[in-house]
């Protein structure tokens, strides 16, 4: 089945630093990837839709200058959390679909970000 | 606005059957998905319904009624490992996924 790889799985960083999270579709081409954030005991919150070769589409309330998304190829999207603060600590999950219609979203294993 | 409703939490007994309901109001409909999410992990795909009726996959079945804006996920022969959150998501007319808040299922011995 379709596999999405996300790296790193855990990262601890100091306040003010930047963190890059990679999301790769391993066995299919993903023209669109999605980045979610999930706080403890809450549901998934879509942050942005990443389109290969074009600018990402951000959801309302998500700062595009803080959460930089790059989708340079059909198999790789990156999310960079710039100048991280403790309130950015969360579980970040990427997902991709191999097509439309019945194709489900396949999720990466997520990245647990802790900002100290 | 678009909305998906599912119970916040349910409790069931090991070996029993549980039904998790999901109702939705969305701009158009292009399929409904059920995902399972264990604590601290990413969601995993369980089922997809786009036509009315029941889809069975092992111990898990999913039902859809488009006219009622209603779906349920049925879990049979519950096991302790089924303790997780179950997320209902609907793809709208723009192929955007609208997510429910999830139902936390607690399995007791």
């Amino acid at each position: 089945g379709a596999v999405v790889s996300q790296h790193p799985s855990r990262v601890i960083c100091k306040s003010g630093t930047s963190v890059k999270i990679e999301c790769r579709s391993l066995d299919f081409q993903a023209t669109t990837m999605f980045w979610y954030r999930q706080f403890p005991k809450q549901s998934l919150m879509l942050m942005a839709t990443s389109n290969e070769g074009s600018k990402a589409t951000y959801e309302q309330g998500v700062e595009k200058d803080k959460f930089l998304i790059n989708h340079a190829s059909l198999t790789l999207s990156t999310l960079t959390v710039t100048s991280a603060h403790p309130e950015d600590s969360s579980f970040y999950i990427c997902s991709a679909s191999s097509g439309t219609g019945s194709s489900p979203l396949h999720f990466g294993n997520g990245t647990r970000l802790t900002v100290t | 606005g678009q909305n998906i409703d599912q119970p916040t939490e349910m409790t069931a007994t090991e070996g029993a059957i549980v039904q998790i309901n999901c109702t939705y109001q969305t701009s158009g409909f292009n399929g409904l998905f059920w995902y399972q999410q264990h604590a601290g992990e990413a969601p995993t795909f369980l089922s997809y319904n786009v036509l009315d009726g029941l889809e069975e996959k092992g111990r898990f079945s999913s039902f859809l009624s488009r006219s009622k804006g209603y779906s349920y996920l049925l879990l049979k022969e519950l096991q302790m490992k089924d303790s997780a959150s179950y997320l209902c998501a609907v793809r709208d007319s723009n192929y955007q996924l609208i997510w429910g808040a999830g139902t936390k299922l607690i399995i007791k011995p």
Side-chain angles (χ1 to χ4, degrees):
Chain A
V3 177
V4 175
S5 173
Q6 186 173 343
H7 179 79
S9 58
R10 290 180 181 274
V11 59
I12 300 173
C13 70
K14 292 186 177 181
S15 185
T17 60
S18 295
V19 174
K20 180 185 281 189
I21 303 170
E22 290 189 351
C23 180
R24 295 180 184 272
S25 56
L26 296 184
D27 55 357
F28 65 98
Q29 293 184 331
T31 54
T32 303
M33 291 184 175
F34 303 89
W35 287 96
Y36 290 87
R37 180 168 53 184
Q38 188 175 36
F39 293 104
K41 299 184 179 180
Q42 295 187 22
S43 187
L44 297 170
M45 291 175 48
L46 180 65
M47 298 176 66
T49 302
S50 169
N51 300 295
E52 186 267 336
S54 65
K55 292 183 179 180
T57 304
Y58 290 82
E59 295 299 303
Q60 193 172 10
V62 178
E63 300 174 57
K64 62 179 180 181
D65 294 329
K66 180 171 183 60
F67 298 99
L68 301 179
I69 292 174
N70 183 277
H71 194 157
S73 77
L74 286 171
T75 58
L76 174 64
S77 176
T78 61
L79 168 67
T80 301
V81 183
T82 62
S83 187
H85 290 100
E87 56 265 32
D88 297 325
S89 298
S90 187
F91 190 47
Y92 292 86
I93 315 173
C94 73
S95 67
S97 174
S98 54
T100 57
S102 63
S103 299
L105 276 185
H106 298 282
F107 287 86
N109 287 330
T111 298
R112 175 77 57 193
L113 171 64
T114 303
V115 184
T116 61
Chain B
Q2 308 203 90
N3 192 50
I4 299 202
D5 289 314
Q6 47 181 134
T8 304
E9 187 173 296
M10 299 182 71
T11 302
T13 304
E14 188 177 16
I17 299 173
V18 71
Q19 177 175 310
I20 302 174
N21 296 324
C22 171
T23 58
Y24 62 90
Q25 300 90 38
T26 57
S27 302
F29 179 84
N30 279 299
L32 184 144
F33 299 85
W34 283 97
Y35 284 82
Q36 180 191 60
Q37 185 178 25
H38 285 100
E41 299 180 11
T44 55
F45 169 72
L46 287 179
S47 68
Y48 170 75
N49 294 72
V50 68
L51 299 177
D52 291 349
L54 187 68
E55 294 282 341
E56 297 186 77
K57 192 184 290 187
R59 294 190 298 115
F60 293 3
S61 303
S62 56
F63 172 83
L64 174 68
S65 169
R66 288 171 296 170
S67 62
K68 295 182 179 179
Y70 167 70
S71 172
Y72 67 72
L73 179 69
L74 190 71
L75 292 77
K76 303 177 182 177
E77 302 171 17
L78 285 171
Q79 302 174 10
M80 297 304 293
K81 67 179 182 179
D82 297 329
S83 292
S85 287
Y86 291 86
L87 308 175
C88 173
V90 173
R91 196 169 257 162
D92 68 10
S93 57
N94 294 320
Y95 282 88
Q96 298 295 315
L97 261 188
I98 313 301
W99 291 89
T103 298
K104 182 180 180 180
L105 178 63
I106 300 169
I107 310 295
K108 295 186 174 180

